[in-house]
């Protein structure tokens, strides 16, 4: 591989989420230690150059790494195509996203013709443009966080719910049925396009074995053998996301402090960290907290000293779902608190002065309350990780989930749903507790096995602080061994090398199918000779049949007839 390869990242929107966190980690792993003075990588590890292309990067709703003006990755970010609408007047969000990715790809190759690897994620729309139209010599790697069509369906990450999608029968008039048919046709075209465009990639990488199984089920043609795989092996690889926590580095620099912090019983809050989206299933945690309050307040269970509940996460005021779902969660939280004569829930924004002082009240043992923290900063995130007694992760069929890694790295045990990526990151009973999932029926939340399972798991962890501390320490060790940045960086560079190798071979194979100059000249001479012989043969045949005079050529006769009919010279 080139000594300092140029790797170009193409990502639709650099907001706050697991996909964005992964892309930034990939960028930092490519730069090695050049952009991060605290990076623990050694000098003999490879390093490269990067460029990041995106259509949107809000300075107030992004990770600190790309936040202007001091973010270490901010100088590498290029915002292009922000003028392309996010949706049309009739909808079409997916179509607009595909067009934005195409434009980003066009700008990326135009500005970086010497790139060694292009890394595209979320949508593969621009992959055929690089591979087929431009035939770049660079490798083209597509990182599939999850099949996009499974995220846009009326499902939970590809699994249809009890009420999902079955109400579109024959209700409504002809126009409504026509519109539904056109929508299915539109969505079907986009879904097929996703599979076809992804198949052009030199290398496809996924974030977990769970996602790989979903990709294989959704895009079976990607797993068909190709000619280049006889030399390279299979084209679908797994690269787990990783973390490099500054809190972990600080503890690693002082073993005594690390041991003291790990073994100390935590009496801080119960914490959930997710975007404010309905599929994140945060209401499950509120119902579990309701059960715990019932045990403590109504039934007088003295074995549980219930700490506050903090629900934090990414919040974009321009995102309609974020705004609506926060209001829904607040209504549910206030209803629960009112049932036990507790004060209403509080909401803290990133700019709120109270946000930095609220920790004094939220970490007191036995102070039951519910708080919402919007778009928490890295500082607040670290403060929550350092004080939380239990971390709760509620999404069902989550593709991977970076949050459980962060909590385990901070020696905080995790309670999560037994499905998707958490089954690969959390060892049940060792680094956290996994709870079986079943749909929650409205009005019967307290009878739900999932809600009861979450409540029991939380109660078990906060009631046995010594065992919880040991579980947290084992989680921290697991993160360092399997999901640390050192392992991640090594695997990433192997994938970059493989992608570049595949790109060169693909480029040479396509170029070898182009005709050379000598063969083009020889073919033209052959064609000219064939045409000349055909004219001679036709002229001889016409003269033999008496249809052409002996002293007249075929071309001259055609000219005479043309002037007679058209009245003009050729």
């Amino acid at each position: 591989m080139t000594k300092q390869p140029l790797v170009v990242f193409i990502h639709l929107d650099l907001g706050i989420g697991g996909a964005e966190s992964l892309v930034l980690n990939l960028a930092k792993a490519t730069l090695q230690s050049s952009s991060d003075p605290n990076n623990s990588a050694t000098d003999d590890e490879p390093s490269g150059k990067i460029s990041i292309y995106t259509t949107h990067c809000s300075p107030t709703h992004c990770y600190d790494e790309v936040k202007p003006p001091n973010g270490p990755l901010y100088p590498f970010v290029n915002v292009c195509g922000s003028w392309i609408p996010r949706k049309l007047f009739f909808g079409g969000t997916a179509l607009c996203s595909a067009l934005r990715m195409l434009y980003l790809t066009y700008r990326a190759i135009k500005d970086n013709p010497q790139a060694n690897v292009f890394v595209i994620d979320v949508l593969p729309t621009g992959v055929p443009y690089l591979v087929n139209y431009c035939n770049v010599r660079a490798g083209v790697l597509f990182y599939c966080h999850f099949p996009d069509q499974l995220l846009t369906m009326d499902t939970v990450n590809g699994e249809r719910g009890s009420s999902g999608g079955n109400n579109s029968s024959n209700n409504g008039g002809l126009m409504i049925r026509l519109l539904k048919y056109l929508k299915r046709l539109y969505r079907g075209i986009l879904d097929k396009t996703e599979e076809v465009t992804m198949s052009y990639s030199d290398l496809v990488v996924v974030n977990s074995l769970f996602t790989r199984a979903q990709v294989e089920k959704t895009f079976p043609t990607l797993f068909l053998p190709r000619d280049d795989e006889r030399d390279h092996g299979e084209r679908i690889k797994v690269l787990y996301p990783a973390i490099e926590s500054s809190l972990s580095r600080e503890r690693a620099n002082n073993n005594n402090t690390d041991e003291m912090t790990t073994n100390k019983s935590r009496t801080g809050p119960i914490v959930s960290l997710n975007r404010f989206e309905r599929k994140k299933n945060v209401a499950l945690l509120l119902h579990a907290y309701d059960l715990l309050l019932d045990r403590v307040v109504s039934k007088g269970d003295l074995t549980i000293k219930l700490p506050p509940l903090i629900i934090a996460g990414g919040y974009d005021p321009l995102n309609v779902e974020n705004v609506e779902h926060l209001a829904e969660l607040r209504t549910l939280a206030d209803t629960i608190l009112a049932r036990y004569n507790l004060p209403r829930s509080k909401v803290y924004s990133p700019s709120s002065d109270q946000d930095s002082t609220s920790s004094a009240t939220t970490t007191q043992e036995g102070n039951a309350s519910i708080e919402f923290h919007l778009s928490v900063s890295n500082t607040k995130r670290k403060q929550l990780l350092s004080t939380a007694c239990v971390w709760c992760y509620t999404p069902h069929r989550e593709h991977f989930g970076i949050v459980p890694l962060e909590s385990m790295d901070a020696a905080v045990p995790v309670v999560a749903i037994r499905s998707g990526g958490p089954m690969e990151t959390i060892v049940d009973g060792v680094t956290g507790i996994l709870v079986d999932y079943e749909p929650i029926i409205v009005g019967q939340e307290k009878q739900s096995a999932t809600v009861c399972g979450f409540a029991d798991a939380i109660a078990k962890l906060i009631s046995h602080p010594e065992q919880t501390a040991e579980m947290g320490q084992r989680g921290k060790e697991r993160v360092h061994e399997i999901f640390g940045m050192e392992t991640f960086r090594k695997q990433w560079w192997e994938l970059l090398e493989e992608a570049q190798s595949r790109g060169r071979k693909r480029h040479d194979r396509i170029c070898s199918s182009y005709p050379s100059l000598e063969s083009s000249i020889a073919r033209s001479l052959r064609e000219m000779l064939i045409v000349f012989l055909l004219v001679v043969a036709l002229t001889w045949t016409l003269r033999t049949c008496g249809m052409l005079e002996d002293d007249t050529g075929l071309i001259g006769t055609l000219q005479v007839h043309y002037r007679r009919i058209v009245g003009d010279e050729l």
Side-chain angles (χ1 to χ4, degrees):
M1 195 171 185
T2 309
K3 185 176 181 180
Q4 275 199 318
L6 171 59
V7 180
V8 179
F9 295 89
I10 304 175
H11 183 80
L12 195 60
D13 187 342
L14 275 179
I16 295 178
E20 289 74 25
S21 173
L22 172 68
V23 168
L24 297 182
N25 275 339
L26 292 176
K28 289 188 290 186
T30 306
L31 284 175
Q32 195 241 343
S33 60
S34 57
S35 66
D36 188 355
N38 295 321
N39 198 312
S40 59
T42 58
D43 293 336
D44 58 349
E45 287 185 350
S47 62
K49 297 174 288 185
I50 66 168
S51 188
I52 304 173
Y53 282 78
T54 184
T55 60
H56 182 69
C57 184
S58 169
T60 59
H61 186 70
C62 66
Y63 285 106
D64 290 348
E65 287 87 345
V66 292
K67 185 170 292 186
N70 300 319
L73 298 180
Y74 172 70
F76 305 103
V77 176
N78 303 276
V79 179
C80 310
S82 56
W83 50 271
I84 302 176
R86 289 175 175 263
K87 63 179 181 179
L88 305 175
F89 68 92
F90 57 84
T93 303
L95 177 61
C96 289
S97 296
L99 294 176
R100 289 158 67 203
M101 285 298 294
L102 267 176
Y103 181 75
L104 278 179
T105 307
Y106 161 75
R107 286 296 303 270
I109 181 61
K110 179 183 177 182
D111 298 344
N112 303 274
Q114 303 302 319
N116 300 101
V117 180
F118 287 92
V119 179
I120 303 177
D121 74 324
V122 181
L123 288 176
T125 318
V127 172
Y129 177 75
L130 290 172
V131 172
N132 198 42
Y133 183 80
C134 298
N135 188 25
V136 292
R137 188 174 177 81
V140 178
L141 184 152
F142 180 73
Y143 199 108
C144 180
H145 304 278
F146 206 69
D148 183 66
Q149 62 181 261
L150 298 185
L151 299 177
T152 54
M153 291 178 178
D154 186 18
T155 63
V156 177
N157 294 334
E159 181 179 79
R160 193 169 297 280
S162 57
S163 61
N166 295 325
N167 299 324
S168 60
S169 55
N170 296 323
N171 296 333
L174 177 62
M175 183 57 68
I176 294 178
R177 292 200 299 270
L178 177 61
L179 290 176
K180 289 179 178 178
Y181 172 77
L182 291 176
K183 182 180 179 180
R184 287 197 300 268
L185 178 63
Y186 158 78
R187 192 62 244 181
I189 293 174
L190 291 179
D191 291 346
K192 187 61 180 177
T193 301
E194 183 182 7
E195 180 175 9
V196 172
T197 53
M198 195 186 300
S199 66
Y200 280 85
S201 307
D202 295 318
L203 195 63
V204 177
V205 182
V206 295
N207 57 13
S208 65
L209 294 174
F210 169 71
T211 299
R212 190 182 192 278
Q214 296 301 309
V215 170
E216 184 173 9
K217 180 180 178 181
T218 310
F219 307 128
T221 59
L222 292 180
F223 290 80
L224 297 177
R226 301 199 320 181
D227 293 338
D228 60 340
E229 289 174 5
R230 287 179 295 188
D231 299 326
H232 290 81
E234 65 178 79
R235 196 163 42 112
I236 316 294
K237 306 285 186 178
V238 176
L239 175 65
Y240 286 123
I243 61 171
E244 192 165 25
S245 169
S246 60
L247 183 62
S248 295
R249 291 198 299 267
E250 290 171 5
R251 291 176 175 176
N253 292 334
N254 189 330
N255 293 329
N256 293 330
T257 302
D258 180 71
E259 184 177 357
M260 178 182 65
T261 306
T262 301
N263 293 331
K264 182 179 179 181
S265 299
R266 293 175 179 243
T267 58
I270 302 167
V271 179
S272 166
L273 180 63
N274 270 301
R275 293 191 302 274
F276 286 93
E277 298 175 354
R278 294 180 180 92
K279 68 178 182 180
K280 298 301 183 181
N281 204 23
V282 179
L284 161 64
L285 180 56
L286 288 173
H287 292 304
Y289 198 71
D290 187 10
L291 270 182
L292 293 172
L293 282 170
D294 184 57
R295 295 178 187 177
V296 173
V297 178
S298 302
K299 299 179 181 179
D301 189 346
L302 300 179
T303 62
I304 304 175
K305 294 182 179 179
L306 194 60
L309 171 62
I310 292 182
I311 296 176
Y315 179 83
D316 185 353
L318 300 179
N319 187 308
V320 176
E321 184 183 10
N322 286 180
V323 176
E324 292 179 348
H325 192 47
L326 174 61
E328 294 167 357
L329 293 175
R330 282 208 71 190
T331 300
L332 176 58
D334 290 340
T335 301
I336 292 172
L337 293 172
R339 191 177 298 141
Y340 304 100
N341 297 318
L342 294 172
R344 297 183 60 185
S345 63
K346 297 180 180 179
V347 177
Y348 298 107
S349 64
S351 58
S352 174
D353 294 333
Q354 292 175 312
D355 185 62
S356 59
T357 60
S358 62
S359 60
T361 59
T362 57
T363 56
Q364 292 178 5
E365 185 176 6
N367 183 24
S369 63
I370 300 176
E371 297 179 2
F372 295 90
H373 293 249
L374 311 183
S375 299
V376 295
S377 64
N378 277 1
T379 302
K380 183 63 179 179
R381 194 186 194 101
K382 293 175 183 177
Q383 185 250 319
L384 291 174
L385 287 167
S386 63
T387 58
C389 63
V390 179
W391 207 275
C392 295
Y393 196 66
T394 53
H396 172 46
R397 287 173 57 87
E398 184 69 10
H399 330 145
F400 177 76
I402 199 70
V403 174
L405 294 188
E406 294 178 327
S407 58
M408 288 192 297
D409 182 71
V412 184
V414 191
V415 179
I417 296 292
R418 194 191 303 275
S419 69
M423 294 182 65
E424 300 173 45
T425 56
I426 301 169
V427 181
D428 189 23
V430 178
T431 66
I433 300 177
L434 295 175
V435 179
D436 293 329
Y437 177 81
E438 68 175 30
I440 300 175
I441 301 175
V442 178
Q444 302 180 21
E445 292 86 0
K446 288 188 176 182
Q447 287 75 42
S448 167
T450 305
V451 173
C452 293
F454 247 78
D456 291 341
I458 295 171
K460 178 180 179 181
L461 291 175
I462 62 180
S463 301
H464 302 85
E466 294 79 10
Q467 297 179 13
T468 301
E470 294 177 3
M471 187 177 288
Q473 179 61 26
R474 289 194 292 267
K476 183 177 177 181
E477 293 170 356
R478 176 172 172 79
V479 169
H480 284 307
E481 292 172 2
I482 302 176
F483 304 103
M485 282 298 292
E486 289 74 19
T487 302
F488 176 80
R489 186 179 295 109
K490 180 178 181 295
Q491 294 173 346
W492 173 238
W493 274 92
E494 291 174 353
L495 292 172
L496 286 179
E497 291 176 357
E498 181 172 348
Q500 187 174 6
S501 174
R502 286 176 177 267
R504 285 196 301 264
K505 289 183 178 293
R506 179 254 309 149
H507 172 82
D508 295 342
R509 185 173 63 253
I510 295 177
C511 288
S512 65
S513 64
Y514 298 155
S516 62
L517 178 61
E518 294 80 1
S519 62
S520 298
I521 294 175
R523 186 176 61 182
S524 299
L525 291 175
R526 286 196 302 269
E527 292 174 351
M528 291 171 61
L529 178 60
I530 292 172
V531 171
F532 174 76
L533 293 176
L534 287 174
V535 171
V536 171
L538 183 58
T539 302
W540 178 83
T541 302
L542 294 175
R543 286 175 178 175
T544 302
C545 297
M547 299 176 64
L548 192 64
E549 297 180 2
D550 293 341
D551 58 347
T552 304
L554 178 63
I555 303 299
T557 302
L558 291 176
Q559 287 178 340
V560 171
H561 287 291
Y562 179 83
R563 286 195 298 269
R564 184 183 303 165
I565 297 172
V566 180
D568 197 1
E569 296 290 341
L570 281 172

